[in-house]
Amino acid sequence: DGGITQSPKYLFRKEGQNVTLSCEQNLNHDAMYWYRQDPGQGLRLIYYSQIVNDFQKGDIAEGYSVSREKKESFPLTVTSAQKNPTAFYLCASSYGRYSYEQYFGPGTRLTVT
Amino acid sequence: GIQVEQSPPDLILQEGANSTLRCNFSDSVNNLQWFHQNPWGQLINLFYIPSGTKQNGRLSATTVATERYSLLYISSSQTTDSGVYFCAVDGSEKLVFGKGTKLTVNP
């Protein structure tokens, strides 16, 4: 089955620790995205990548970092510099750039205390 | 940047009722998608509809690009339709989401 997987589903960390969220897709999509969702809100773009070894900042990139070493994988690191890291994180992919239909993974709920 | 407004913010229905959700956007778009976010947080693609009309079972959507709005119709609603419905459009090289319509369907 083709799709997008994110792991883990739930993640708990202590303040001051970096944490990496996994996102893998087997849809052969070129573009991948990371979004953040806070309770009762829409999604906000953190980072996106249109091709391997290239990525761009979204609206709320501060305190986050990404890498795109393989087409299938786009991990997101939430660093200790992110002031309010507790949120629901969603990964997405699309065949091409933003005008193409995006598909989403199941998400990771991160809680930092 | 492009603005996306969804209405109503909340909607409560009895099972079997019909509903219409609206999405207004402030500029021309090449991509408009409707999603359903289920209670577990998963975003399910409903429609990719930058213009025209599409139907999928009890759901249908219409986008009037020249007037910058899209409508999502849900007929004969079921309790499993509950959740949040998001509209998203492309703007400045990214997908911009509205704040969603929270739908509750009571048995």
Side-chain angles (χ1 to χ4, degrees):
Chain A
D1 282 337
I4 304 172
T5 57
Q6 292 185 244
S7 60
K9 195 172 182 67
Y10 298 94
L11 192 53
F12 298 89
R13 280 294 182 269
K14 294 290 187 184
E15 199 172 313
Q17 294 179 336
N18 292 355
V19 60
T20 297
L21 282 58
S22 168
C23 177
E24 305 274 335
Q25 55 97 1
N26 60 5
L27 299 168
N28 199 32
H29 284 170
D30 287 318
M32 296 186 74
Y33 313 81
W34 274 105
Y35 294 87
R36 169 182 172 139
Q37 186 179 29
D38 293 288
Q41 301 296 314
L43 279 67
R44 293 182 291 167
L45 183 65
I46 305 172
Y47 267 99
Y48 63 102
S49 167
Q50 296 174 15
I51 197 168
V52 173
N53 292 323
D54 187 45
F55 47 83
Q56 288 78 39
K57 294 182 179 179
D59 294 322
I60 55 168
E62 186 175 349
Y64 299 97
S65 66
V66 293
S67 63
R68 186 90 187 274
E69 296 177 2
K70 297 186 300 182
K71 186 176 184 177
E72 302 79 19
S73 177
F74 191 39
L76 173 75
T77 297
V78 184
T79 75
S80 56
Q82 168 50 234
K83 294 180 181 176
N84 297 296
T86 295
F88 187 48
Y89 292 87
L90 287 153
C91 177
S93 70
S94 64
Y95 180 72
R97 292 175 67 184
Y98 51 91
S99 61
Y100 287 84
E101 189 171 5
Q102 288 189 24
Y103 295 87
F104 283 78
T108 292
R109 292 193 184 276
L110 173 64
T111 302
V112 177
T113 58
Chain B
I2 194 167
Q3 304 294 315
V4 182
E5 293 185 1
Q6 292 186 243
S7 60
D10 295 279
L11 187 57
I12 300 174
L13 302 173
Q14 287 299 123
E15 200 167 23
N18 302 329
S19 61
T20 301
L21 283 58
R22 186 177 180 101
C23 172
N24 292 333
F25 45 95
S26 60
D27 205 346
S28 59
V29 298
N30 295 305
N31 177 4
L32 188 146
Q33 293 185 241
W34 282 99
F35 298 92
H36 174 214
Q37 187 167 40
N38 64 23
W40 298 272
Q42 175 83 52
L43 274 172
I44 309 298
N45 290 45
L46 297 177
F47 295 102
Y48 172 78
I49 186 167
S51 64
T53 297
K54 290 186 177 180
Q55 180 155 8
N56 184 5
R58 296 181 296 104
L59 274 60
S60 64
T62 294
T63 297
V64 184
T66 53
E67 298 189 20
R68 297 180 184 167
Y69 72 89
S70 183
L71 301 174
L72 177 68
Y73 305 96
I74 304 174
S75 64
S76 304
S77 58
Q78 301 175 358
T79 56
T80 52
D81 294 331
S82 296
V84 182
Y85 290 79
F86 287 104
C87 166
V89 303
D90 63 303
S92 301
E93 308 231 354
K94 63 186 179 185
L95 209 54
V96 178
F97 283 76
K99 293 191 174 181
T101 292
K102 183 178 180 180
L103 175 64
T104 302
V105 180
N106 292 321

